[in-house]
Amino acid sequence: DMQVAWDVFKIFGYDRVLVMKFLEDNTSYVVAERRSKSVKDSFLNMHWPATDTPSSARERHMKKMSSVVVDALDPPAALITGDPALDPNHILLSMSNLKSMHHCYLEQLGIRGMRSSLTVSVLQNGRLWGMVCCFGRDPMVLGAHPRLAVEMLCQAFSTRLTVLGEQAQVLHELKCAELKIAVANRVTEAGPDATACAEALCTPGATILDLLEEDTLGCCVVVDGKGVSDGDT
């Protein structure tokens, strides 16, 4: 995460670069940050509510990989059509690179002392993992090639996240298999005695509790009316 923030910061020259990660409740927090010496306050480990990036915005970020604000103080240009019957207000520009950002977002940039921004989506297994957000104190013109470069950088980061996630899943499955074997061996060694079987299933090191979900606090094993507990029950 820090490497991505540093690469974008070094290459593109924004004053603040954040790597944001979305949590399961759709809130987000800053997992990495790089900032220039002129930016004193840090956003690292700060959380933002889910309302800051509503579901409609997250869906759009999955389709439109990047958005740029050159200068938050520039007034938006009116859309002029060649057909008088075509109402410019009914033309959908959500996926257009020329679309102006929402006025609330531009106001937030001003409150934070920033005039330009760049946001790039980071996906993992087809889902929006987070975003790389860049902010500049001065107007920043980002051409097509630099914009493509930062998108490719974030795509490489997305690929790395996917690979790490797959590796973590494989390691988890291997650990579960080893625990199942260890528990089965203990039960076999305990023999036919009900109390010994129950105690074997709850002996520290390889227990039934180890095979349950991480948020499980405790369990109780009952064999032939004999019960043994493990954890908080």
Side-chain angles (χ1 to χ4, degrees), residues 151-162:
E151 287 185 9
M152 293 180 64
L153 180 63
C154 290
Q155 286 176 8
F157 181 42
S158 298
T159 301
R160 181 171 178 270
L161 286 173
T162 300

Side-chain angles (χ1 to χ4, degrees), residues 63 148 208:
K63 299 175 182 178
L148 179 60
I208 289 293

Side-chain angles (χ1 to χ4, degrees), residues 51-190:
T51 52
D52 270 25
T53 312
S55 58
S56 58
R58 291 194 297 273
E59 290 176 3
R60 185 169 62 252
H61 283 303
M62 291 184 62
K63 299 175 182 178
K64 188 171 183 285
M65 296 302 296
S66 65
S67 298
V68 174
V69 173
V70 174
D71 188 351
L73 299 183
D74 273 351
L79 185 63
I80 301 174
T81 64
D83 184 356
L86 185 60
D87 186 353
N89 295 321
H90 293 165
I91 298 177
L92 184 63
L93 294 176
S94 298
M95 302 302 293
S96 173
N97 291 333
L98 299 178
K99 179 182 179 297
S100 177
M101 299 293 285
H102 196 278
H103 67 89
C104 290
Y105 178 78
L106 300 178
E107 289 174 1
Q108 286 295 321
L109 286 181
I111 292 173
R112 296 172 182 173
M114 300 295 175
R115 289 184 62 177
S116 57
S117 73
L118 165 68
T119 58
V120 185
S121 304
V122 177
L123 307 181
Q124 182 184 30
N125 294 322
R127 299 181 61 185
L128 187 62
W129 178 90
M131 294 188 297
V132 176
C133 304
C134 313
F135 306 96
R137 291 183 176 273
D138 301 312
M140 176 79 73
V141 178
L142 198 66
H145 289 134
R147 189 167 174 170
L148 179 60
V150 73
E151 287 185 9
M152 293 180 64
L153 180 63
C154 290
Q155 286 176 8
F157 181 42
S158 298
T159 301
R160 181 171 178 270
L161 286 173
T162 300
V163 171
L164 290 176
E166 292 173 350
Q167 289 178 344
Q169 180 63 29
V170 170
L171 292 175
H172 175 71
E173 291 176 357
L174 288 174
K175 181 180 178 180
C176 287
E178 292 173 353
L179 285 171
K180 289 177 182 179
I181 294 173
V183 170
N185 288 338
R186 285 187 173 185
V187 172
T188 301
E189 294 171 359

Side-chain angles (χ1 to χ4, degrees), residues 15-16 18 33 35-44 46 112 114 137:
D15 292 294
R16 188 197 299 273
L18 306 176
E33 177 188 36
R35 64 186 193 277
S36 64
K37 294 180 179 179
S38 62
V39 179
K40 302 301 181 183
D41 56 327
S42 175
F43 289 171
L44 187 62
M46 289 187 65
R112 296 172 182 173
M114 300 295 175
R137 291 183 176 273

